[in-house]
Amino acid sequence: MDWFSKSYEAFEFHMFSASHITVWVILAATVLLTFLYRSRFTEVTSRRVEVSLAFILILLEASYHGWMLRTGTWSVSHALPLELCSLSVFLTVALLLTRKKVLYDILLFIGVLGASQALITPYLYFDFPHFRFFHFFGTHSIIFWTPLYFTWIRGYRPTLSSVIRTMLFLNLLVPPVLLINKLTNGNYLYLAHKPETASLLDLLGPYPWYIVSLEGVAFLLSLGIWLLFKEKEPSIFTNREYRRP
């Protein structure tokens, strides 16, 4: 059985299958343990975690492009890093390595919202133990977990301007991505049509109205995340002369 093949018949993924739910359980347990044991993270431990996860993300993403090239499935119509989660991979790596607050401000919203949607309704054809299964759920789980880690461990908190900054970031992406979609016959950011598999976009109306609906939903959910995390608590590094970048 070739775990790196491009044929998914032997690995066909089914939403809400045992493997899918197992990923949810593992991620939920990781998030819970991170919160419960947040005071146990030392500066040395946290830095090791950050660098290790950045390396894992880079390795996973590089391996994914290598897999597409090996199987002859790489194409400008879908392989450019222009999907929201692909962009989040780069933002996550940058945040883990630099700890820049401006990166957190954007990733908290697009990472938590985008990755959670992908984890709930995956656009995926390959089930466990295929490489794509590990790539898809590995990258999205790290994207989802990282801003929570920076909130609870590093003491970062969003502001209302973080919400505005995120919406501006998303809207500035739309014009160039629309042009690239037209030139490549792609569907980056799902601006051309909804994904072929079931997704939460199915609840937002037909094309192109779901794009407008999605923007409104994204803004409201971002406000919800801001309200949830805006209250400041002392960082565990406050008394260790830790300074936020």
Side-chain angles (χ1 to χ4, degrees):
M1 187 177 293
D2 188 355
W3 296 349
F4 294 92
S5 69
K6 68 176 180 179
S7 175
Y8 63 86
E9 283 76 8
F11 303 92
E12 189 171 1
F13 178 80
H14 296 283
M15 203 176 299
F16 310 130
S17 61
S19 60
H20 189 188
I21 294 174
T22 298
V23 171
W24 290 355
V25 172
I26 293 173
L27 179 58
T30 302
V31 169
L32 179 61
L33 290 172
T34 301
F35 179 77
L36 293 178
Y37 291 95
R38 61 194 184 279
S39 61
R40 304 285 185 89
F41 282 78
T42 64
E43 173 64 27
V44 173
T45 300
S46 64
R47 193 56 185 156
R48 287 175 178 171
V49 169
E50 293 160 9
V51 173
S52 297
L53 287 180
F55 175 77
I56 290 171
L57 272 180
I58 293 170
L59 181 62
L60 283 171
E61 198 65 10
S63 299
Y64 174 49
H65 284 269
W67 173 78
M68 286 190 289
L69 289 170
R70 175 180 177 269
T71 57
T73 56
W74 198 99
S75 170
V76 292
S77 66
H78 65 80
L80 299 178
L82 295 174
E83 299 290 3
L84 197 57
C85 287
S86 298
L87 293 168
S88 295
V89 167
F90 292 99
L91 288 173
T92 302
V93 170
L95 175 59
L96 288 167
L97 294 179
T98 68
R99 299 174 176 170
K100 294 296 185 182
K101 175 65 164 53
V102 65
L103 298 173
Y104 164 85
D105 284 342
I106 296 175
L107 189 64
L108 177 65
F109 302 107
I110 70 172
V112 170
L113 295 178
S116 60
Q117 195 278 141
L119 290 164
I120 294 170
T121 58
Y123 187 20
L124 180 67
Y125 295 102
F126 298 90
D127 205 341
F128 178 89
H130 194 277
F131 161 75
R132 272 289 285 141
F133 178 89
F134 289 104
H135 167 263
F136 183 92
F137 285 113
T139 53
H140 286 89
S141 295
I142 294 174
I143 290 169
F144 181 84
W145 179 86
T146 296
L148 299 179
Y149 159 86
F150 272 87
T151 301
W152 296 329
I153 307 302
R154 288 290 173 190
Y156 290 16
R157 289 295 184 274
T159 62
L160 186 56
S161 63
S162 304
V163 178
I164 306 302
R165 190 177 297 116
T166 300
M167 297 306 298
L168 287 173
F169 172 78
L170 292 174
N171 280 278
L172 287 173
L173 284 175
V174 171
V177 172
L178 281 172
L179 177 60
I180 292 172
N181 280 343
K182 184 175 181 179
L183 294 174
T184 64
N185 195 31
N187 187 29
Y188 295 109
L189 297 182
Y190 301 123
L191 294 177
H193 57 79
K194 296 180 184 179
E196 296 173 2
T197 56
S199 73
L200 298 179
L201 295 182
D202 295 333
L203 304 176
L204 301 181
Y207 178 86
W209 302 111
Y210 74 85
I211 299 173
V212 179
S213 301
L214 181 61
E215 179 141 5
V217 170
F219 179 68
L220 292 175
L221 290 177
S222 295
L223 285 177
I225 291 176
W226 167 63
L227 290 171
L228 181 64
F229 292 111
K230 71 169 185 169
E231 294 295 332
K232 289 193 174 182
E233 298 175 5
S235 168
I236 65 170
F237 294 102
T238 299
N239 297 323
R240 303 179 192 176
E241 298 183 353
Y242 171 77
R243 292 186 179 181
R244 182 181 305 167

